[in-house]
Amino acid sequence: MTTTTLAVDCMGGDHGPRVTLAACRNFLEAHPEAQLLLVGLPAELAALQHPRARIVPATEVVTMDDAVEVALRRKKDSSMRVAIQQVKDGQAQVAVSAGNTGALMALARYLLKTLDGIDRPAIATHLPNAKGGATTVLDLGANVDCTEHHLLQFAVMGSALVSAFGEDNSPSVGLLNIGEEVIKGNEVIKRAGELLRAAGAAGDLNFYGNVEGNDIFKGTTDIVVCDGFVGNVALKTSEGVASLISGFLKEEFTRNPLTKLAAIAAYPVLSALKKRVDYRRYNGAALLGLRGLVFKSHGSADELAFEQALNRAYDAARNNLLDRVQARIAHARPLLAGGDEDARPVEAAVT
Amino acid sequence: MTTTTLAVDCMGGDHGPRVTLAACRNFLEAHPEAQLLLVGLPAELAALQHPRARIVPATEVVTMDDAVEVALRRKKDSSMRVAIQQVKDGQAQVAVSAGNTGALMALARYLLKTLDGIDRPAIATHLPNAKGGATTVLDLGANVDCTEHHLLQFAVMGSALVSAFGEDNSPSVGLLNIGEEVIKGNEVIKRAGELLRAAGAAGDLNFYGNVEGNDIFKGTTDIVVCDGFVGNVALKTSEGVASLISGFLKEEFTRNPLTKLAAIAAYPVLSALKKRVDYRRYNGAALLGLRGLVFKSHGSADELAFEQALNRAYDAARNNLLDRVQARIAHARPLLAGGDEDARPVEAAVT
């Protein structure tokens, strides 16, 4: 029985230990082979005593508003940094944090370094689709100006991620565009299409072709690749629509006594619907392209959502996501060359 | 009593005259001061006889699949082209078509030309927001590679559009970005932010600052400006989420006899909801930046949706949208200079 160890930044996120410790307790109960390193201010973590959990002290906390350089250069003993350091030192197989995304990416990049063949790490998440599964989308904001080579790197890393979570070793990849036709899109997208087709022909990935924004939710492909600007806009737009519709639903069902009665009748249906679109079930984004595994939870995650991020991180580590990413990159290496090697300053590269 | 004349491409869209003529009939009944030019194959338009409608013959039809160059160079007597020509010749104040967007933009640009100070026309639509109003978004796909000057032009034209439809002569403009902070975004977006701030300071527009994807549906600003690639992805992503949720709702309410009973109880509420998110109510996108008014209906528009596009076009013409755009551009002229003047080939510039 091999154990998998997660280093958890217990101080991160909007709620800190109140939420992270509760999620850790549930997670430990559900996973008898898992071990946790609880990273943070010891006094705040004492509430969780468990034979498979150990406190790793860190005296500082990166706040949601801290600039990246504060996290990098000033708070050298932050819980976020110490958690990532556990992965670097081989004490844990994966780190999880609900803290500030920009700081997390910058620290992870600084401490772990990028993998050979990868210019820029990316952030990947999964969103519900009409096929009853989830579509993996990357990048979500770590890289705002991308070349076609970066998009290819995202496609290769996304394929490794999906194959680590499922049985499909050849998940399909769509290139996010504004039309299905090959001639559509801006110059980078057109060149990316050519490169992804070449990678498909070389057996590096299963390239479907261009997809459009609605295909993310149709589930046309397992993976949708885009630059971080577009991915971030798509993600936040979809959150906006979902909350608009749920707001409308609430308004309409509470309009008058009759509609409130209807809401009672429809309660089981509405609960089922709520569960299906519950963002908490899709919490846990992967930072890909680093020499170590790091997962990011939504900052506002509650207990259930944070536990879900722990589950994702655990499954990724158990299923050797890091080896899978490295193997796929090695295979695609001839096509990956050509990306710019000059890493941009991390302050600008993350959001 | 001044009349306003609309030139309607009756052959365009997925359904052709069956839908467009029915919508025209309803429109004429609702607007006693409006006149219509029904453009298309006379035999197919004979069904609508009305004192304020006149048939303008056109022998060809641009199909949804026709390449832009077919519409531009081969089908010189298409209903789409003849409808726009009516605007150019002063026979109508606005043209409306549900045909192929790329062909419509190319023909409009070729026949009408762009306004002084505008490098590239844009497509603007409006989407429902949580404030009970609508947010105007542009560009939606006409321009996939934009400079900061193009984004400023979109902001100025969008302001004219919103002021033509409402009482607010100083609608707020947000710049779509991946964070509210000024330092976020790619290089073009950062420069656009500076330019828009300068335009705000000069009194050319009411610039709010950066907004994110979810702000479109929150209604944070009246107008959201972005390049056509991002706008198109945001629009299609939002359609995807809305149809995913409506698919889930349908599935959950038809799951078993009990949930079907609940659906009956909830019927009035669900109808009200459906009406509020009904895309047909938001049909009618404006092609802005041309020396004449053209409106685009969704290709799949039904009778109600197409009538809504006619309403939008009519209101825009009556409220002197063209003059408003010109006046605002003239005012902002010192800042608008600097955009690239070399128009890209229309085939590539439209979607």
Side-chain angles (χ1 to χ4, degrees):
Chain A
M1 191 159 102
T2 50
T3 60
T4 301
T5 305
L6 287 73
V8 184
D9 168 12
C10 292
M11 312 304 293
D14 299 344
H15 311 297
R18 186 171 59 77
V19 157
T20 57
L21 286 189
C24 284
R25 186 176 289 115
N26 297 341
F27 173 81
L28 284 165
E29 274 168 33
H31 300 92
E33 297 175 38
Q35 298 213 346
L36 296 184
L37 302 179
L38 310 173
V39 186
L41 302 169
E44 299 208 27
L45 307 182
L48 177 51
Q49 301 281 347
H50 193 282
R52 285 181 282 114
R54 182 164 64 80
I55 291 175
V56 176
T59 57
E60 290 172 300
V61 177
V62 173
T63 69
M64 297 309 257
D65 303 322
D66 273 342
V68 166
E69 60 209 22
V70 170
L72 270 179
R73 297 188 232 293
R74 297 221 209 116
K75 295 186 172 174
K76 296 206 172 169
D77 196 38
S78 72
S79 56
M80 187 186 274
R81 181 169 185 153
V82 173
I84 299 169
Q85 188 69 43
Q86 303 307 305
V87 175
K88 181 165 185 186
D89 295 345
Q91 301 298 310
Q93 283 76 59
V94 59
V96 182
S97 175
N100 182 330
T101 311
L104 185 67
M105 179 57 100
L107 280 170
R109 200 169 167 169
Y110 175 72
L111 293 173
L112 300 173
K113 313 299 179 202
T114 52
L115 290 166
D116 288 337
I118 297 297
D119 301 318
R120 300 186 190 173
I123 302 175
T125 197
H126 53 310
L127 294 165
N129 66 38
K131 289 189 174 162
T135 306
T136 295
V137 184
L138 73 166
D139 177 47
L140 287 173
N143 304 282
V144 294
D145 283 305
C146 289
T147 67
E148 60 274 26
H149 289 94
H150 299 135
L151 292 166
L152 174 59
Q153 292 167 21
F154 301 164
V156 170
M157 296 193 291
S159 299
L161 181 67
V162 171
S163 73
F165 282 116
E167 289 165 18
D168 188 356
N169 206 32
S170 186
S172 56
V173 176
L175 176 64
L176 191 57
N177 202 337
I178 59 171
E180 286 170 23
E181 304 85 347
V182 177
I183 57 147
K184 290 286 168 95
N186 58 32
E187 293 311 313
V188 170
I189 291 293
K190 285 182 203 165
R191 290 196 301 267
E194 287 167 27
L195 200 56
L196 287 167
R197 257 184 298 284
D204 294 323
L205 48 86
N206 175 9
F207 183 50
Y208 169 90
N210 289 333
V211 294
E212 298 185 77
N214 50 341
D215 288 303
I216 297 172
F217 300 95
K218 274 191 194 165
T220 306
T221 55
D222 298 309
I223 299 154
V224 171
V225 170
C226 55
D227 77 41
F229 192 96
V230 170
N232 191 286
V233 168
L235 181 70
K236 289 188 177 152
T237 300
S238 64
E239 288 172 0
V241 174
S243 78
L244 180 75
I245 296 177
S246 99
F248 279 175
L249 258 178
K250 205 169 285 172
E251 266 179 51
E252 293 300 338
F253 270 115
T254 55
R255 196 172 283 285
N256 60 47
L258 222 63
T259 60
K260 285 180 187 165
L261 217 59
I264 295 169
Y267 180 76
V269 176
L270 295 176
S271 312
L273 175 76
K274 200 175 163 187
K275 200 174 162 192
R276 285 179 77 170
V277 295
D278 188 351
Y279 85 93
R280 298 179 303 174
R281 291 176 62 214
Y282 301 93
N283 192 32
L287 271 56
L288 295 170
L290 300 160
R291 298 177 191 271
L293 295 182
V294 179
F295 273 72
K296 162 80 176 100
S297 158
H298 208 290
S300 66
D302 64 6
E303 204 176 306
L304 186 91
F306 195 74
E307 188 186 346
Q308 186 54 33
L310 294 175
N311 289 338
R312 291 280 292 177
Y314 180 63
D315 286 341
R318 277 195 315 161
N319 295 320
N320 302 314
L321 173 58
L322 193 59
D323 294 344
R324 287 171 189 265
V325 172
Q326 279 178 309
R328 281 186 182 256
I329 289 169
H331 194 273
R333 202 60 200 271
L335 282 165
L336 286 175
D340 67 39
E341 296 290 334
D342 63 311
R344 301 162 65 222
V346 284
E347 289 80 357
V350 291
T351 66
Chain B
M1 192 160 104
T2 51
T3 61
T4 300
T5 305
L6 286 73
V8 184
D9 167 12
C10 291
M11 311 304 292
D14 300 345
H15 310 296
R18 184 171 60 76
V19 157
T20 56
L21 286 189
C24 284
R25 186 176 291 113
N26 296 340
F27 172 81
L28 284 166
E29 274 168 34
H31 299 92
E33 296 175 40
Q35 298 213 346
L36 296 183
L37 302 179
L38 310 172
V39 186
L41 302 169
E44 300 208 27
L45 306 182
L48 176 52
Q49 302 280 347
H50 193 283
R52 285 179 283 116
R54 181 164 63 80
I55 291 175
V56 176
T59 57
E60 290 171 303
V61 177
V62 174
T63 69
M64 295 310 257
D65 304 322
D66 274 342
V68 166
E69 60 209 23
V70 170
L72 270 180
R73 297 189 231 294
R74 297 223 210 112
K75 294 185 173 175
K76 296 207 173 170
D77 196 37
S78 72
S79 56
M80 188 186 275
R81 182 171 184 147
V82 173
I84 299 168
Q85 189 68 44
Q86 302 307 306
V87 174
K88 180 167 186 181
D89 296 345
Q91 300 298 309
Q93 283 76 57
V94 59
V96 182
S97 175
N100 183 331
T101 312
L104 184 67
M105 179 56 100
L107 279 170
R109 199 169 166 167
Y110 175 72
L111 293 173
L112 299 174
K113 313 299 179 203
T114 51
L115 289 167
D116 288 336
I118 297 298
D119 302 317
R120 303 184 187 174
I123 303 175
T125 196
H126 52 310
L127 294 165
N129 66 37
K131 290 191 173 160
T135 306
T136 295
V137 184
L138 72 166
D139 176 48
L140 288 172
N143 305 283
V144 293
D145 285 304
C146 288
T147 67
E148 61 273 26
H149 288 95
H150 298 135
L151 292 166
L152 174 59
Q153 291 167 20
F154 301 165
V156 171
M157 295 192 293
S159 300
L161 181 66
V162 171
S163 72
F165 282 117
E167 288 166 20
D168 187 356
N169 206 33
S170 186
S172 56
V173 177
L175 176 64
L176 191 57
N177 203 338
I178 60 171
E180 284 170 25
E181 304 84 347
V182 176
I183 57 145
K184 291 283 168 95
N186 59 31
E187 292 310 313
V188 170
I189 291 293
K190 285 182 204 166
R191 289 195 301 267
E194 287 168 27
L195 200 54
L196 288 167
R197 256 184 300 283
D204 293 324
L205 46 86
N206 174 8
F207 183 51
Y208 169 88
N210 290 331
V211 294
E212 299 186 76
N214 50 341
D215 288 305
I216 297 171
F217 299 96
K218 273 191 196 166
T220 307
T221 55
D222 299 309
I223 298 155
V224 171
V225 170
C226 54
D227 78 40
F229 193 96
V230 170
N232 191 286
V233 168
L235 181 70
K236 288 186 178 154
T237 299
S238 64
E239 288 173 1
V241 174
S243 78
L244 179 75
I245 295 177
S246 100
F248 280 175
L249 259 179
K250 207 171 282 172
E251 267 179 51
E252 294 300 337
F253 271 115
T254 55
R255 194 172 283 285
N256 60 47
L258 222 64
T259 60
K260 284 180 188 164
L261 217 59
I264 295 169
Y267 181 76
V269 177
L270 295 175
S271 314
L273 175 75
K274 201 175 162 186
K275 200 174 162 194
R276 286 180 77 169
V277 295
D278 188 351
Y279 85 92
R280 299 179 300 175
R281 291 177 60 213
Y282 300 92
N283 192 33
L287 272 56
L288 294 171
L290 300 160
R291 297 176 191 272
L293 296 182
V294 179
F295 273 73
K296 162 79 176 99
S297 159
H298 208 290
S300 66
D302 65 5
E303 204 174 305
L304 186 91
F306 195 74
E307 188 186 344
Q308 186 54 32
L310 295 175
N311 289 338
R312 292 279 293 177
Y314 179 63
D315 286 340
R318 276 195 315 163
N319 294 320
N320 303 313
L321 174 57
L322 194 59
D323 294 343
R324 286 171 189 265
V325 173
Q326 279 176 309
R328 282 186 182 256
I329 290 169
H331 194 273
R333 202 61 200 272
L335 282 164
L336 287 174
D340 68 40
E341 295 290 333
D342 62 312
R344 304 162 63 219
V346 282
E347 287 81 1
V350 290
T351 65

